[in-house]
Amino acid sequence: MPRALRSFRCRTPRWGAKLGTISTIESLARTFGLSASAGHGRDLTIRQRDIDEPLQLDSLSAERLALLHVNADGIIAVRSCVIEELVIDHCTADALLITNSRIGRLIIRNTPVNCEVTVNESTVETLDVHSCGSMRFEGVRIADTVQISGMRGHLHLKRLRAAALTVRSQVAGGRQRRPEVHLENLHVTEAVTLDDLWLASLTLDDIDASVLVLRRVRVDTPFRGTGVRCREGLRINGLVVPGEANTLEDSDVRGAVDVRGLRHSATLPTQRPAPDTTGTPPSARTAELAFRSSTICRLTAAAEDGSPVVVELENTTVTDALAVPSGPARYRLAGSSTINEVDLGDAVFRNGTQVIGFLDRVFTRVSPGALEAVRATLSRRRRTTEEDQIYYLTRQREARERPLVQRLVANGLLGGVLGWGVRARNPARALAAAMLSTAAVLHVTGAVRSPGAEGLGDFSAASKALVLACALWLNVGTGAPSELKTHGWTALAVCFAVGGMVFVTLTVGIMIRKLVR
């Protein structure tokens, strides 16, 4: 093509004193020095043209309009237009505005970094944006998909309706400022996907989608999400976050939440590493993601070796199951969080050590909430013996947080002696210890020894003392020796009988309860 055509600049047209709004294909062709027949009816392609004034299209109707390598001195505005296919590629302007229009296929590519792209209050069939500066889409309805790639500036989507949304990759190098992404009031029928991005910030407000996917996304400031509603699930894979809390609040995920490869930004290289003032090795820094006041169906977490992950549940409800995390990933329960079920796998709980070991694999600490979640799961599966084991540990740990006197009574008497009503061996051991102690006292004091006995070494006297102690505690009606039938001995025997009755009744009750269950 001759150089004169490549640098062709359309100055103030001879047919008008000043360029105003353009409403027909013919007027647009004449504006750029083309013949009226260049439009081929309702189809026009303008290539490598310059104009000294803003380009403003108003109420224009066309089947296909392509602006390729067009430079405008001011903005390029498309208002109240009906266009089946609009292509804007390598155009230079102060800003690009599309408003109150109805467009079938909209393609915007390769605009300057300082050219803000704004589309509002319009209807579009499909939207494809590539390698543009700052972008703002507000009040736009897209019947099909939205593809945004090669970002070179901030992105703000508000009141957007679409079938699917994909934001993928960015064009940034050197010291160029990383983009900010803000999604607000979005209703997407299928998936919202953010892929291969390094962002200054990411904010999600009032998002309604089938699936939300965050894949290979890195943010420099804490990630924030509020009012995120996913009908089928939330998938986080390769999200890199700073050390501060990254949160999803007031959200509802009816499908599975899958958190994989969440990493702390300090564990990855940066262009300019920040000085370390914590003294913690980068490999030991923990990436955290918190769900607050939310409802999720199922939660799964996995982490790579050397990149610990903590998923916090604060005042959050898990309606289905909490899967056992893999790698150095853990869950943290805070507030009044409730978990319907914990995926136990092949874990068994025959003693407290096995319980604590399992909870250490799943949670950051053994809390009453964690114990209650496991106990509820065991109860639902009718594993009653293990459920009683968890219940006992829960009550014991709750007692440790009470004042000193209450802690001694709860741990010593209710837990150690009575077994919180679920451990039969505790009252049985206490009763056996009481009988042996009573027998020892009776034998040492000589209460049941005859006058001619040999002393403490008399086996017959020791046997009588043991039998009498058992009779007193078990309340079987065995009388005392004639020399001990005094009012004091009678009162002591009654006390023994009452105590023995309590221990026997409690032990038998626990055993019957286990058999019935």
Side-chain angles (χ1 to χ4, degrees):
M1 182 181 292
R3 184 173 181 179
L5 289 179
R6 290 201 305 266
S7 61
F8 181 85
R9 178 174 291 275
C10 185
R11 300 188 182 278
T12 303
R14 291 174 294 177
W15 51 84
K18 186 177 181 180
L19 180 65
T21 58
I22 299 172
S23 58
T24 64
I25 287 290
E26 293 78 10
S27 299
L28 180 60
R30 290 194 299 267
T31 298
F32 286 95
L34 303 175
S35 63
S37 60
H40 300 292
R42 301 183 65 223
D43 190 344
L44 177 63
T45 299
I46 301 175
R47 192 187 310 271
Q48 294 181 335
R49 291 291 190 270
D50 295 350
I51 187 171
D52 285 340
E53 296 186 5
L55 177 61
Q56 303 187 52
L57 308 181
D58 193 347
S59 303
L60 184 143
S61 178
E63 290 185 0
R64 184 179 188 275
L65 174 60
L67 303 178
L68 310 178
H69 296 270
V70 173
N71 301 325
D73 189 5
I75 69 170
I76 298 178
V78 179
R79 296 186 177 92
S80 304
C81 295
V82 178
I83 305 173
E84 292 298 324
E85 182 178 358
L86 175 59
V87 180
I88 302 175
D89 191 0
H90 282 91
C91 292
T92 302
D94 294 341
L96 174 61
L97 172 65
I98 300 176
T99 181
N100 294 316
S101 298
R102 199 168 72 192
I103 300 173
R105 183 181 182 187
L106 176 58
I107 301 175
I108 305 174
R109 296 175 179 171
N110 304 300
T111 62
V113 175
N114 58 354
C115 176
E116 182 177 5
V117 177
T118 303
V119 181
N120 56 37
E121 307 302 335
S122 298
T123 302
V124 180
E125 290 293 327
T126 61
L127 176 60
D128 186 358
V129 182
H130 174 73
S131 188
C132 294
S134 297
M135 294 169 281
R136 184 180 184 90
F137 299 86
E138 183 172 353
V140 182
R141 288 181 172 270
I142 299 98
D144 202 347
T145 61
V146 179
Q147 294 277 349
I148 301 176
S149 60
M151 293 172 50
R152 293 189 292 167
H154 304 322
L155 174 63
H156 189 173
L157 305 182
K158 184 177 181 180
R159 293 190 295 111
L160 189 75
R161 302 292 183 268
L165 169 64
T166 301
V167 180
R168 178 180 290 111
S169 75
Q170 66 195 66
V171 180
R175 300 179 180 178
Q176 186 174 4
R177 184 173 61 176
R178 298 186 183 97
E180 300 176 359
V181 174
H182 182 77
L183 309 183
E184 180 181 357
N185 193 5
L186 266 62
H187 182 85
V188 180
T189 306
E190 299 175 9
V192 174
T193 304
L194 302 179
D195 185 13
D196 193 19
L197 299 170
W198 190 343
L199 308 174
S201 65
L202 174 61
T203 306
L204 306 176
D205 289 332
D206 193 14
I207 307 298
D208 188 351
S210 177
V211 180
L212 174 61
V213 181
L214 302 178
R215 184 188 304 119
R216 296 177 297 172
V217 176
R218 180 171 181 173
V219 291
D220 293 335
T221 57
F223 161 66
R224 295 283 186 271
T226 304
V228 176
R229 297 178 297 278
C230 301
R231 295 181 293 277
E232 294 185 8
L234 169 62
R235 301 168 191 165
I236 298 176
N237 191 351
L239 179 64
V240 181
V241 296
E244 297 84 355
N246 304 272
T247 60
L248 278 170
E249 300 180 3
D250 301 320
S251 300
D252 183 8
V253 183
R254 298 178 184 176
V257 177
D258 191 3
V259 180
R260 297 182 182 274
L262 185 68
R263 301 190 66 175
H264 194 291
S265 57
T267 62
L268 297 178
T270 59
Q271 294 179 352
R272 285 189 174 183
D276 181 17
T277 59
T278 62
T280 304
S283 60
R285 297 182 186 177
T286 302
E288 297 188 9
L289 176 64
F291 291 86
R292 296 176 178 170
S293 303
S294 301
T295 301
I296 59 181
C297 180
R298 181 181 179 87
L299 178 59
T300 303
E304 301 174 358
D305 293 338
S307 300
V309 171
V310 172
V311 180
E312 179 178 347
L313 302 176
E314 180 179 347
N315 300 323
T316 295
T317 301
V318 179
T319 58
D320 188 3
L322 191 69
V324 176
S326 62
R330 298 293 184 270
Y331 304 119
R332 179 192 298 144
L333 300 182
S336 57
S337 297
T338 58
I339 300 173
N340 182 59
E341 184 175 346
V342 178
D343 189 0
L344 303 178
D346 56 355
V348 292
F349 309 109
R350 296 188 179 92
N351 52 55
T353 303
Q354 292 178 332
V355 174
I356 301 302
F358 176 81
L359 293 177
D360 286 337
R361 284 174 47 204
V362 178
F363 301 97
T364 56
R365 68 184 185 93
V366 182
S367 63
L371 288 166
E372 178 59 26
V374 177
R375 189 204 65 79
T377 303
L378 294 172
S379 175
R380 191 172 293 105
R381 298 183 181 182
R382 298 186 180 277
R383 295 165 61 174
T384 56
T385 302
E386 295 166 299
E387 177 191 354
D388 291 343
Q389 178 73 26
I390 300 291
Y391 178 83
Y392 178 82
L393 289 177
T394 303
R395 300 286 82 82
Q396 288 291 88
R397 286 184 170 269
E398 289 178 349
R400 293 176 186 174
E401 300 177 359
R402 298 177 181 177
L404 178 60
V405 176
Q406 296 182 12
R407 183 166 65 250
L408 293 176
V409 172
N411 279 338
L413 177 60
L414 299 180
V417 176
L418 303 181
W420 291 105
V422 294
R423 272 190 175 182
R425 64 176 178 268
N426 285 42
R429 285 186 305 194
L431 179 58
M435 290 189 294
L436 292 175
S437 300
T438 304
V441 171
L442 292 175
H443 182 60
V444 170
T445 58
V448 294
R449 286 201 303 269
S450 56
E454 299 178 359
L456 295 179
D458 189 348
F459 179 77
S460 176
S463 301
K464 290 181 180 180
L466 180 60
V467 171
L468 178 60
C470 294
L472 290 172
W473 280 102
L474 296 178
N475 191 29
V476 296
T478 302
S482 58
E483 62 268 25
L484 298 180
K485 289 186 176 180
T486 62
H487 294 292
W489 177 259
T490 303
L492 186 62
V494 170
C495 294
F496 285 155
V498 172
M501 187 182 299
V502 170
F503 284 117
V504 170
T505 303
L506 183 60
T507 303
V508 173
I510 294 174
M511 296 303 297
I512 292 176
R513 171 177 170 271
K514 289 180 179 293
L515 293 174
V516 170
R517 293 169 65 190

